[in-house]
């Protein structure tokens, strides 16, 4: 198979995924806009956002890990997680 045919097939495959990629980018932008609004309005603290980010990335799943990564005491982490749970943004399992 020639390089031109491979490039054409690759281009077709990328174009087929373009709507999904565009949707994914729009969803991410929308979520970021909402987070910024929540931070500005005081609905979400920077610490709460940091916890959400670490949990979403899979960087921390235990309160002790969150405390180490964020340099916060366990009672602070507990309070932050409680607040996020009250807001239905996170759940303990």
């Amino acid at each position: 198979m020639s390089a031109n045919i491979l490039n054409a097939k690759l281009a077709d495959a990328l174009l087929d995924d373009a709507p999904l990629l565009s949707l994914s980018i729009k969803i991410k932008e929308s979520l970021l806009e909402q987070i910024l609004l929540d931070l500005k309005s005081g609905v979400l603290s920077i610490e709460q956002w940091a916890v959400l980010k670490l949990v979403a990335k899979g960087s921390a799943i235990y309160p002790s890990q969150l405390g180490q990564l964020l340099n916060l005491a366990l009672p602070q982490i507990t309070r932050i997680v409680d607040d996020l749970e009250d807001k239905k943004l996170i759940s303990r399992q």
Side-chain angles (χ1 to χ4, degrees):
M1 198 177 282
S2 77
N4 287 339
I5 293 172
L6 283 175
N7 287 340
K9 288 189 178 212
L10 179 60
D12 285 344
L14 289 173
L15 288 175
D16 287 346
D17 289 338
L20 291 176
L21 181 60
S22 176
L23 180 61
S24 175
I25 291 170
K26 287 180 183 176
I27 290 170
K28 186 181 264 188
E29 287 173 350
S30 177
L31 289 172
L32 287 173
E33 285 177 22
Q34 186 59 51
I35 288 169
L36 287 174
L37 287 173
D38 288 347
L39 285 169
K40 287 179 183 177
S41 67
V43 172
L44 195 63
S45 71
I46 292 173
E47 292 84 2
Q48 289 171 334
W49 173 81
V51 166
L52 287 174
K53 184 175 179 183
L54 288 171
V55 171
K57 287 176 66 176
S59 299
I61 56 169
Y62 297 107
S64 59
Q65 292 171 314
L66 290 168
Q68 287 176 329
L69 291 169
L70 297 173
N71 197 29
L72 295 173
L74 195 54
Q76 289 174 289
I77 294 295
T78 301
R79 196 168 31 257
I80 291 167
V81 171
D82 287 346
D83 290 344
L84 291 171
E85 197 170 33
D86 290 344
K87 294 176 183 181
K88 310 269 189 257
L89 296 173
I90 200 170
S91 66
R92 292 182 172 104
Q93 296 180 354

